[in-house]
Amino acid sequence: MATLPSSHCCHTYSQPLPPSSSSSSVSYLPVYSSVHGRLRRVSISSIPRRFVSAKLSLQNAVGLQDGPAAPAVNPIDNEAPFEKLKDGLLSAPSSKESKDTAVFNVNESESTVSITVVGASGDLAKKKIFPALFALFYEDCLPKHFTIYGYARSKMTDAELRDMVSKTLTCRIDKRENCGEKMDQFLQRCFYHSGQYDSQDHFAELDKKLKEHEAGRVPNRLFYLSIPPNIFIDAVCCASSSASSGNGWTRVIVEKPFGRDSESSATLTSALKQYLEEDQIFRIDHYLGKELVENLSVLRFSNLIFEPLWSRQYIRNVQFIFSEDFGTEGRGGYFDNYGIIRDIMQNHLLQILALFAMETPVSLDAEDIRNEKVLIVLAWCQVKVLRSMRPLQLENVVTGQYKSHVRGGITYPAYTDDKTVPKDSLTPTFAAAALFIDNARWDGVPFLMKAGKALHNKRAEIRVQFRHVPGNLYRSIGTDLDRATNELVIRVQPDEAIVLKINNKVPGLGMRLDRSNLNLHYAARYSKEIPDAYERLLLDAIEGERRLFIRSDELDAAWALFTPLLKEIEEKKVIPEYYPYGSRGPVGAHYLAARYKVRWGDVDVEV
């Protein structure tokens, strides 16, 4: 970890600080090839590990050649190669260490991973983190040696933690007969330690317990901060000083919100970097772990039919739609401090937009992908320098707040009916915005975002509406041109699907057109259930894969885009448009789209 500053944030310092350790990211996988008859090792660090066959043996690795056949290599023990490779990967050195060692030795001592869920008694830990860890264990994705510790202020025994966790676990993957046995095995790896988040002594006690389970193996440690952001720094300070790994890697997963504007976000980042290196910080946005978001780049970059169309020449507009059919319901106090723009648009939707609009990255390497995303977002933030992007204007934004509504004899509450929300609150529960990227690829294309609570349905999707066919031959038969345009729908949730809407002739002697769907419905196409986003992201964090985590400069750029708009809304006390609970949202959102000759794709949704 980073060198600790002279001023301490933790309480009761009674023990010396352990040696700092760098973060770990697996940078090299040993692959042998022959050049001029000599063996050399080739780095394939640019390929994420999960894209390399999991059962790659060292003997097979030797077979990857770029010259004459390589001679046999006897010193390498090839017995049980997968287990050795798996443990070796998880104990690989950090990027900083890699520069000194060039490659890691697969014959090093076995490693172990200790996962500490800080805030283990909270809803997120119970509903998402522990079930995701069990799913990974169930699918044999966790390393051979691992331990899970819950850490929170609540007094609890190991048995009580296991009982609490067991109530949230399900064998949802394929309901194998050994589910109960796997649950028991998983729960036996779960332990609990009670402590304050700002106590170095309590984290030092945790450190002793972790060492007992690590049993002399190379210790790798992952801390998941499932706690309010106001105590992030205290927990990180104490974990880094008292419970970091001495000779393995230490990583910290940080949940949003990452501040509430540019200034607070920069302060948080600066404070975290007092105790952690950037590559130890994994800022999680669970939407980036969604299967269809992960598939977005595959759809575009591996299908020749889409890549040439991915520009202003063929795309009329792109819509990012997020809706929930419930209100704040118990989270009013938290939500009122942030609002829908900070909670959904500034992170989830903007990150997806950046993935959608980015240029082709050099490789699948995490840094190459994140560099392209940053360039898209930075184009918005550096308007005065690059003159490439119009800043977000208040006139291109519509805000709303849901009000009480009676439907079917049931009265649904207004946002301000929540006892934790001030009666005069102007916090938006709905927002729609039009954004523009003025570069060669996207000049003039409206990127429309819409997010809201207490709407008529629950969905998250990307809608790509293509331009009209020039000189359409079938205009004369009364075709609705708006409805006749092609549309690509990527439904992120629920009921994941990719749908391409096309025009075709209805069978018969006459000439009548119909709009049909070419539908990749995941539930129908694939029998295996789709993993939860937290499963993917937790596995990535354990493996050191950073593609789907947010880098500090990405975060800075995103806040630089939205902070001026948010300040203007708050300073002018903009009154949101009120919409009934369970409706389609404010009428103003439709006027906003119409200004750019666009109709929201979910208005008369067939798909």
Side-chain angles (χ1 to χ4, degrees), residues 95-137:
S95 55
K96 186 183 298 183
E97 294 166 338
S98 297
K99 294 175 183 177
D100 299 327
T101 60
V103 293
F104 67 86
N105 183 354
V106 294
N107 292 319
E108 283 179 348
S109 301
E110 287 187 317
S111 65
T112 181
V113 175
S114 299
I115 304 165
T116 302
V117 182
V118 182
S121 58
D123 281 348
L124 177 64
K126 290 186 285 189
K127 294 178 180 177
K128 290 293 184 181
I129 302 172
F130 284 112
L133 288 170
F134 171 64
L136 292 175
F137 173 73

Side-chain angles (χ1 to χ4, degrees), residues 24 92 196 204 380 437:
S24 270
Q196 297 296 318
W380 292 329
I437 307 171

Side-chain angles (χ1 to χ4, degrees), residues 6-22:
S6 57
S7 60
H8 300 310
C9 66
C10 298
H11 296 166
T12 61
Y13 288 84
S14 60
Q15 298 183 16
L17 302 183
S20 63
S21 67
S22 298

Side-chain angles (χ1 to χ4, degrees), residues 32-42 66-71 73:
Y32 295 84
S33 66
S34 173
V35 179
H36 303 303
R38 295 185 179 182
L39 282 179
R40 66 183 178 90
R41 283 185 173 184
V42 181
D66 57 7
V73 183

Side-chain angles (χ1 to χ4, degrees), residues 72 74 87 115 119 171 174 206 209 293 344 378 479 519 564 573 585:
N74 295 324
D87 280 336
I115 304 165
C171 296
D174 58 12
L206 171 67
K209 291 184 177 181
V293 175
I344 302 298
L378 283 176
T479 304
N519 190 348
K573 298 185 184 298

Side-chain angles (χ1 to χ4, degrees), residues 300-301 310-311 320 349-361 367-383 386-391 435-443 445 447 449 551 553-562:
R300 175 182 170 188
F301 297 126
W310 223 258
S311 71
F320 302 88
L349 298 189
L350 184 60
Q351 285 292 321
I352 296 173
L353 190 156
L355 279 172
F356 180 95
M358 71 181 184
E359 296 298 316
T360 306
E367 297 311 305
D368 288 332
I369 291 174
R370 296 200 291 185
N371 286 343
E372 293 299 335
K373 288 167 61 184
V374 171
L375 288 174
I376 284 292
V377 182
L378 283 176
W380 292 329
C381 303
Q382 299 175 347
V383 176
L386 304 178
R387 298 177 180 242
S388 60
M389 183 62 208
R390 293 169 244 170
L435 303 95
F436 294 87
I437 307 171
D438 289 343
N439 62 14
R441 182 182 291 271
W442 298 114
D443 185 29
V445 176
F447 286 81
M449 286 185 183
R551 206 166 61 188
D553 54 350
E554 287 184 75
L555 186 60
D556 293 343
W559 275 121
L561 171 65
F562 277 96

